[in-house]
Amino acid sequence: MTATITLSPTFEDRLSSSSDTSSSLRLSLAPVGATPALLDGAWWPRSRDLGAELPTLTAALEPLWGRITRVTVNPTHWPVVPRKVPVAGHVVKVGWFLHEQDPHELLLLSYHMGRWNLLVVPPRTDPVAAAWLMAAASDPLGTSTASRLMEQAARRRTVTETDRAVEAVWDSEGGHGARDPAARPRTPAAIPGGGDQAAAPAATANRPKEM
């Protein structure tokens, strides 16, 4: 199962003819022409190998954003940060900032078009959580930073896991059966002359007191 990739129609129209490359790219972008937000979208790479992952990303973005000339990351989650990455006939310079840049963010620069900030969804993220993160990061009205979205996703996951644990306990204790009126056992009727000892005290309690 993979997360749904959301690309605006304008972006799809302007992609290169390499449809196989774009279809395998896990990317979600804010609508073209939308009011700028803190994030321009999200990228869900398949590994933490920048040298292997960046060429596909930049090749897909350049038809829309112009030639990507520089990329910066926070090295916290990237084991190796290469200084240069060859991309479709040119070289993209790669830099890093430890304190100045959000650890979950990728910054792309183009001399002609400006800069863009993408949330980097960790490669091993659960597909459901990844889909939520990608949608949230590409919301043109979004006001959360990359790290804040990651925190929100973690809280959502904790709530979901807690709900599942409660549901499991409920099921193990017969909760579903108790909620189904048809599944509730009926109280046996009292049998005249004995046989239902539990009903006897109730019957006695309902008798009028003797004067």
Side-chain angles (χ1 to χ4, degrees), residues 136-157:
S138 58
D139 183 352
L141 301 179
T143 58
S144 295
T145 63
S147 285
R148 181 165 296 180
L149 286 179
M150 292 298 297
E151 292 171 359
Q152 292 175 1
R155 286 196 295 269
R156 286 169 56 90
R157 182 172 62 252

Side-chain angles (χ1 to χ4, degrees), residues 163-207:
D163 289 345
R164 288 175 179 173
V166 171
E167 185 72 13
V169 172
W170 179 265
D171 290 343
S172 67
E173 295 179 351
H176 283 296
R179 285 184 296 179
D180 185 359
R184 295 177 182 173
R186 297 181 178 178
T187 303
I191 302 176
D196 190 350
Q197 299 298 328
T204 302
N206 292 331
R207 293 176 182 174

Side-chain angles (χ1 to χ4, degrees), residues 62-127:
E62 286 186 350
L64 175 65
W65 291 349
R67 175 172 289 193
I68 304 299
T69 55
R70 185 173 178 83
V71 170
T72 66
V73 298
N74 184 310
T76 300
H77 300 296
W78 299 99
V80 177
V81 180
R83 297 184 62 182
K84 297 180 179 180
V85 174
V87 176
H90 68 96
V91 174
V92 174
K93 296 181 180 179
V94 183
W96 58 268
F97 297 97
L98 183 59
H99 301 293
E100 297 86 350
Q101 186 165 337
D102 191 306
H104 298 286
E105 188 176 279
L106 179 82
L107 171 64
L108 301 104
L109 297 170
S110 170
Y111 287 141
H112 302 290
M113 301 292 289
R115 58 175 283 177
W116 295 268
N117 300 75
L118 297 180
L119 163 71
V120 179
V121 180
R124 296 186 179 182
T125 301
D126 175 83

Side-chain angles (χ1 to χ4, degrees), residues 19-31:
S19 59
D20 291 339
T21 299
S22 62
S23 64
S24 64
L25 183 65
R26 303 190 295 190
L27 178 70
S28 178
L29 299 176

Side-chain angles (χ1 to χ4, degrees), residues 5-12 27-43 61 64-65 116-119 133-142:
I5 308 307
T6 303
L7 301 176
S8 67
T10 303
F11 178 64
E12 289 177 337
L27 178 70
S28 178
L29 299 176
V32 176
T35 302
L38 291 180
L39 294 169
D40 299 287
W43 173 45
L61 291 176
L64 175 65
W65 291 349
W116 295 268
N117 300 75
L118 297 180
L119 163 71
L133 282 166
M134 297 179 81
S138 58
D139 183 352
L141 301 179

